[in-house]
Amino acid sequence: MENIFRPNKWFVMFCGLLVCVWLGLQLVATMRLADEAKLAGKHIFTWEWPAEGLYSSARIGKADVIRRSDTDAIVKVKGEQLLTSARHSADGKPGSERSEVVECGATLTFYKSSNDWVLGRVELE
């Protein structure tokens, strides 16, 4: 029986290039999701309560994509949260200020809607 199809070097190089492009696209999609999770984590852990003199700011340092599919993704974020308590005296003048840095983390579940990732669930650690 005669071989009808024999791959040559150009076909093999094309297939290799196709695989490299696909892997690159997967890497970029994962990096985009991790950046979206860092931004969402920063918004979750940054808040202010001026009436009580309480403020919080966050710096998210790490975002690990645990699982990603076509419809949903689970990302674990970790970072540092700066808690500030600014006390005011009875006459309204600024008083003592106390700051504390604590570790913060959350597991975020994103759902895909119209080619965008939407935050669906937050589990704090």
Side-chain angles (χ1 to χ4, degrees):
M1 181 151 185
E2 183 179 329
N3 283 341
I4 297 174
F5 177 74
R6 292 178 55 195
N8 61 9
K9 67 177 179 178
W10 296 108
F11 180 74
V12 172
M13 287 188 339
F14 173 75
C15 289
L17 181 65
L18 191 64
V19 168
C20 289
V21 168
W22 183 80
L23 289 174
L25 287 173
Q26 295 302 312
L27 178 66
V28 169
T30 301
M31 289 171 58
R32 177 179 174 247
L33 179 60
D35 285 343
E36 185 79 24
K38 284 181 181 180
L39 186 62
K42 182 176 179 179
H43 286 301
I44 290 168
F45 290 109
T46 300
W47 49 266
E48 58 183 42
W49 194 0
E52 296 295 321
L54 300 173
Y55 303 93
S56 170
S57 62
R59 184 178 65 220
I60 304 298
K62 188 175 183 184
D64 293 327
V65 178
I66 306 299
R67 184 178 59 84
R68 183 174 62 92
S69 68
D70 292 338
T71 58
D72 64 339
I74 298 175
V75 183
K76 187 172 278 209
V77 294
K78 290 185 184 266
E80 294 179 340
Q81 184 177 21
L82 175 66
L83 301 170
T84 305
S85 172
R87 304 269 185 218
H88 294 287
S89 60
D91 59 359
K93 294 181 182 176
S96 64
E97 185 174 301
R98 191 180 70 167
S99 295
E100 178 182 357
V101 176
V102 295
E103 296 281 325
C104 62
T107 302
L108 309 176
T109 302
F110 288 92
Y111 297 101
K112 198 139 194 192
S113 171
S114 301
N115 208 21
D116 290 324
W117 291 107
V118 179
L119 182 62
R121 183 173 57 184
V122 177
E123 296 176 24
L124 299 176
E125 294 178 358

